[in-house]
């Protein structure tokens, strides 16, 4: 069996390596030639490559189950296993830059005996005899028995094979910058990215490998005054040295797209879509790689028993994604909409279904909520697990409690700081 994987990001590469170890001959097609031996990697086609990342427990679980040597290589490269105090060992994630993570994956893929990497742009899908038969790469046909599209959120590859996506803009944009701690400076470590909710915006800090961290400020996309953050970003120069420019993230959407066409049928058996090609969520929550790896793991298991009936495999996989991936998309749409209203100063509607972030925050007041909040936060249970504690969280809110806002400038104060000439010079 010859399998073509379009897209050499984390999802495509891990999926390709797992298939190769099961006996497939695999070719990864990616327009980037891969990391250079020593120089900085200017990764092509990945907008979020230098933006903050935290790899959730699912990533560790998939790697230790499927590619344990890759997990060991990530730790050897400086990745830091991390979990919040009091959480069980199975909720250990990974503090690591995306650049470090992908470099380790690409190096491991280059050593994989049954895996080849081809540099080029996947122009289109080839179909023949009623099924996928390969991919055209920079005008040349590359034949294959199976095509797995692990393409980015903006790709139009094999659009003809399925119905359009559903979804909408998440309503957030952000500015981020990466720093390295100076010698002697103790870096923060809490086992998770640290978030502080302010009036009108959200600030986050992501500890990473090699004494680096990323600072992220999230604003409403419609807030044009705070858009100036992309030109101003600062910290204590005596403790942290900036190692990137300020990077902006915008045009972000929560979206979901299945495997079937508009008539609910498999249009081209033998092509499967995973990762961002199926679901995108607000990236500051850090769920994209985890959701993609869950899909890859499920698809590989289904293909092991359904190689002779690719139409049935696509239908099974579509149903699995609808049950296990789409609920996260719906959760994000609801949470993001309510968060935007709170950015605008609205109170939480206690009588409406409570968004997941509010339910989890209420666990600080009622520890009984943790029984549902912990597996949700680790993505070991679907968002519906929080339905069991909605009433407990609602009771907390009815006391007058609200998720605390951090000390520091509110939105209007931050906007005023950005208007000052000294702020424009700080970076």
């Amino acid at each position: 069996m010859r399998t073509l994987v379009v897209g050499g990001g984390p999802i495509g590469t891990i999926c390709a390596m797992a298939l190769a170890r099961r006996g497939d001959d695999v070719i990864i097609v990616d327009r980037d030639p891969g990391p250079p031996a020593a120089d900085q990697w200017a990764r092509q086609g990945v907008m979020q490559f230098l933006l903050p990342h935290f790899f959730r427990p699912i990533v560790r679980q998939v790697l230790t189950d499927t590619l344990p040597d890759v997990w060991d290589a990530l730790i050897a490269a400086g990745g830091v296993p991390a979990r919040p105090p009091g959480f069980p060992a199975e909720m250990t994630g990974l503090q690591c830059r995306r650049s470090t993570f992908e470099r380790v994956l690409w190096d491991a893929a280059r050593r994989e005996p049954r895996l080849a990497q081809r540099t080029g742009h996947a122009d289109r899908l080839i179909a023949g005899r009623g099924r996928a038969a390969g991919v055209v790469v920079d005008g040349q046909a590359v034949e294959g028995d199976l095509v797995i599209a692990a393409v980015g959120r903006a790709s139009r590859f094999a659009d003809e094979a399925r119905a359009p996506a559903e979804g909408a803009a998440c309503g957030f944009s952000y500015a981020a910058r990466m720093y390295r701690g100076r010698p002697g400076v103790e870096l923060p470590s809490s086992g998770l990215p640290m978030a502080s909710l302010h009036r009108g915006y959200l600030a986050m800090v992501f500890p990473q490998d090699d004494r680096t961290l990323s600072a992220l400020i999230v604003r409403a996309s419609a807030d044009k005054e705070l858009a100036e953050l992309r030109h101003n970003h600062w910290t204590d120069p005596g403790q942290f040295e900036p190692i990137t420019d300020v990077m902006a993230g915008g045009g972000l959407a929560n979206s979901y797209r299945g495997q079937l066409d508009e008539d609910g049928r498999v249009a081209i058996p033998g092509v499967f879509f995973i990762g961002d090609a199926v679901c995108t969520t607000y990236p500051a929550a850090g769920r994209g790689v985890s959701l993609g790896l869950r899909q890859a793991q499920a698809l590989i298991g289904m293909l092991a028993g359904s190689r002779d009936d690719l139409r049935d495999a696509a239908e099974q996989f579509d149903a699995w994604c609808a049950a296990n991936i789409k609920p996260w998309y719906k959760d994000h749409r609801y949470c993001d909409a309510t968060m935007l209203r709170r950015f605008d100063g609205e109170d939480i509607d206690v009588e409406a279904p409570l968004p997941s972030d509010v339910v989890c925050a209420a666990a600080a007041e009622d520890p009984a909520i943790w029984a549902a909040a912990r597996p949700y936060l680790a993505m070991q249970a679907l968002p519906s697990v929080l339905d069991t504690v909605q009433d407990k969280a609602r009771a907390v809110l009815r006391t007058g409690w609200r998720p605390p806002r951090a000390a520091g400038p509110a939105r209007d104060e931050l906007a005023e700081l950005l208007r000052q000439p000294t702020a424009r010079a700080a970076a």
Side-chain angles (χ1 to χ4, degrees):
M1 175 72 73
R2 189 189 214 195
T3 300
L4 308 180
V5 176
V6 180
I11 311 307
T13 301
I14 291 171
C15 182
M17 291 182 68
L19 287 169
R21 294 187 184 188
R22 287 180 176 234
D24 283 15
D25 293 313
V26 184
I27 299 175
I28 297 177
V29 179
D30 194 282
R31 56 180 156 176
D32 193 290
D39 295 337
Q40 187 174 358
W41 188 11
R43 182 76 162 93
Q44 296 184 41
V46 182
M47 175 272 292
Q48 67 273 31
F49 189 62
L50 292 177
L51 290 171
H53 279 75
F54 176 79
F55 298 94
R56 289 173 173 269
I58 290 173
V59 178
R60 176 191 56 80
Q61 291 163 8
V62 171
L63 288 175
T64 53
D65 289 347
T66 310
L67 306 169
D69 54 309
V70 174
W71 173 257
D72 292 341
L74 283 165
I75 304 307
V80 181
R83 62 185 167 100
F87 278 48
E90 61 266 23
M91 296 180 73
T92 301
L94 180 71
Q95 293 176 181
C96 189
R97 288 170 292 177
R98 173 73 175 258
S99 55
T100 301
F101 192 87
E102 283 213 47
R103 183 180 287 272
V104 169
L105 288 181
W106 277 65
D107 288 345
R110 286 167 171 166
R111 297 190 299 269
E112 198 65 39
R114 302 184 72 100
L115 191 154
Q117 294 165 303
R118 176 158 180 159
T119 303
H121 181 265
D123 301 325
R124 60 182 177 86
L125 180 71
I126 300 173
R129 297 183 180 180
R131 54 166 293 164
V135 174
V136 175
V137 180
D138 291 337
Q140 291 188 318
V142 181
E143 295 181 351
D145 304 298
L146 197 70
V147 176
I148 297 176
V151 292
R153 61 188 67 202
S155 175
R156 303 271 67 87
F157 177 77
D159 262 1
E160 70 276 14
R162 55 190 182 144
E166 60 179 278
C170 67
F172 297 108
S173 298
Y174 52 75
R177 196 173 197 183
M178 193 180 299
Y179 301 88
R180 178 172 281 113
R182 297 190 183 278
V185 173
E186 183 177 352
L187 269 67
S189 180
S190 65
L192 284 172
M194 291 157 282
S196 56
L197 178 64
H198 299 257
R199 293 187 182 278
Y201 67 97
L202 177 70
M204 301 182 72
V205 174
F206 292 73
Q208 301 164 150
D209 63 289
D210 194 22
R211 295 185 53 76
T212 66
L213 57 78
S214 286
L216 179 79
I217 299 179
V218 181
R219 63 175 175 89
S221 297
D223 190 336
K224 301 307 179 186
E225 284 191 294
L226 291 195
E228 285 298 312
L229 285 165
R230 75 185 69 178
H231 306 300
N232 303 269
H233 209 297
W234 57 89
T235 189
D236 185 344
Q239 297 194 53
F240 295 98
E241 173 191 8
I243 57 175
T244 69
D245 294 330
V246 179
M247 297 167 286
L252 308 171
N254 294 312
S255 66
Y256 181 81
R257 194 173 187 184
Q259 307 290 314
L260 310 179
D261 66 14
E262 292 181 276
D263 297 321
R265 297 179 297 190
V266 179
I268 307 174
V271 58
F272 297 87
F273 301 86
I274 61 174
D276 283 353
V278 171
C279 182
T280 67
T281 54
Y282 167 50
R287 292 195 169 113
V289 174
S290 295
L291 292 174
L293 288 185
R294 275 273 172 86
Q295 294 167 53
Q297 197 174 41
L299 177 60
I300 290 168
M302 292 175 189
L303 289 174
S306 304
R307 294 276 178 148
D308 295 332
D309 191 344
L310 295 175
R311 186 180 299 276
D312 181 65
E315 291 171 347
Q316 286 186 45
F317 185 54
D318 185 73
W320 183 91
C321 288
N324 294 279
I325 303 300
K326 194 171 185 178
W328 293 101
Y329 152 74
K330 291 182 175 179
D331 182 61
H332 270 268
R333 288 202 66 176
Y334 188 69
C335 281
D336 293 351
T338 59
M339 178 67 79
L340 283 171
R341 291 197 291 271
R342 286 153 62 199
F343 273 16
D344 284 339
E346 290 187 23
D347 193 11
I348 298 166
D349 185 349
V350 178
E351 304 308 320
L354 298 177
S356 300
D357 66 303
V358 172
V359 175
C360 291
E365 297 296 307
D366 182 355
I369 295 172
W370 280 118
R374 279 196 181 99
Y376 166 82
L377 290 170
M379 298 181 69
Q380 294 172 333
L382 292 172
S384 58
V385 71
L386 296 180
D387 294 346
T388 64
V389 291
Q390 280 268 331
D391 287 342
K392 293 182 183 297
R394 194 169 281 112
V396 170
L397 289 165
R398 283 177 176 149
T399 68
W401 175 90
R402 293 295 184 268
R405 297 184 186 274
R411 183 263 168 212
D412 290 348
E413 295 171 298
L414 183 58
E416 178 59 32
L417 286 171
L418 293 172
R419 285 193 289 268
Q420 296 175 12
T422 53
R424 296 182 180 275

